[in-house]
Amino acid sequence: MAKPNLTPLEDALDHLLSEAPVVAQIETVALADSLGRVLAENHYVPADVPPADNSAVDGYALRKQDLHGDRPIPVSARIPAGEAPKPLEPGTAARIFTGSEIPEGADSVVMQERIEVTESGILVQAEVDEGQNIRRRGQDLTRGDLALAKGTQVRPNEMGLLASMGVARVAVLARLKVAILSTGDELVDPGLPLGPGQIYNSNRFTLMGLLTEAGCEVVLCETLRDKREATRETLQRAAEAADLVITSGGVSVGEEDHVRAVLEESGSLSLWKMAIKPGKPVAFGAIGGTPVLGLPGNPGSVLVT
Ligand code: AMP
Ligand code: MG
């Protein structure tokens, strides 16, 4: 059981989600630029996929009832993928390829490995089940079905699905604007020499990576000195520029931990300390109506929380 002054993780998550910033602005992007974005509208299937019955294999399309023992069947047509076939002449077979449309009149496809080609036609060397090796029209997507719901994040498979429905431009929510503030007098940017007592700022990059991966836009990224006034000024400025402010460090109980104090003095603090380890001293509140998530400074805690 959680200690009385620690908020259980589930309750903390519920609270954070209830206070989460909501993006309402919609923009349209090219499908090629949609990775990681969030769909702003439902997508319904405009036409059946596949658009017609087609062959699942390279082989021969025929009518099962035309098979009579080991009598060869003449081949009357050749149907490459991408061509609309003529109806199949009764008593004959059509050479067909994977993805080629099934001609009217054919009800089965025999894969070429099961066929012997003779001078007078093909010999089928296997049992044939009516309908075999045919992909049915609409079996992947049926016209009118909901393909992707509003709010879905676009991953590579959604990009492919949208393309398969002929979508070239996509309405997506604007990216959530996030400010990253790293607190700590000891922090130095990578690339600069380290002085005594200093460490490199790694949290900034962990957070940048996590936020970018989540589809957010990092609009402000600053390192904050451990001073109450500087913390207040920067938090207020960040809250104006962003939909969400994330800080690291400065939320413990030391006298140089100003983030939580500024939230209490100049905004609001609605959560402090979650029942998890690492990552206990998480603070959450708001400044000027913008939610502020105060993460602990320890890099492991940042990644976890
Ligand atoms: P704090 O919560 O500010 O007391 O920080 C806890 C620990 O995390 C201290 O050892 C800090 O030096 C370290 N720390 C704080 N911020 C960062 C940062 N941005 N990158 C790497 N380590 C940090
Ligand atoms: Mg600190």
Side-chain angles (χ1 to χ4, degrees), residues 200-275:
Y200 286 118
N201 182 348
S202 60
N203 291 342
R204 168 188 293 180
F205 297 89
T206 305
L207 287 170
M208 273 183 165
L210 289 167
L211 291 165
T212 305
E213 211 169 55
C216 301
E217 180 186 356
V218 177
V219 289
L220 186 147
C221 215
E222 289 183 25
T223 301
L224 264 172
R225 297 301 147 206
D226 292 320
K227 298 280 176 296
R228 186 67 56 96
E229 270 322 301
T231 303
R232 193 191 320 278
E233 182 274 321
T234 313
L235 269 175
Q236 282 169 340
R237 192 157 41 78
E240 273 170 39
D243 303 314
L244 170 70
V245 179
I246 298 186
T247 66
S248 77
V251 285
S252 290
V253 287
E255 56 251 37
E256 297 295 6
D257 293 327
H258 299 294
V259 171
R260 185 176 54 88
V262 166
L263 280 178
E264 278 180 314
E265 289 165 10
S266 306
S268 60
L269 180 77
S270 55
L271 175 88
W272 188 50
K273 286 191 176 175
M274 292 195 302

Side-chain angles (χ1 to χ4, degrees), residues 3 5-7 12 251-253 271-284 294-298 300-302 304-305:
K3 291 191 185 153
N5 60 337
L6 302 183
T7 307
V251 285
S252 290
V253 287
L271 175 88
W272 188 50
K273 286 191 176 175
M274 292 195 302
I276 60 169
K277 222 175 188 177
K280 182 175 75 172
V282 166
F284 181 74
L295 305 182
N298 180 286
S301 304
V302 164
V304 169
T305 52

Side-chain angles (χ1 to χ4, degrees), residues 22-47:
V22 174
V23 175
Q25 199 188 321
I26 293 171
E27 53 199 42
T28 305
V29 298
L31 179 59
D33 299 326
S34 66
L35 186 66
R37 306 302 298 266
V38 175
L39 297 178
E41 52 192 30
N42 289 332
H43 285 264
Y44 294 92
V45 178

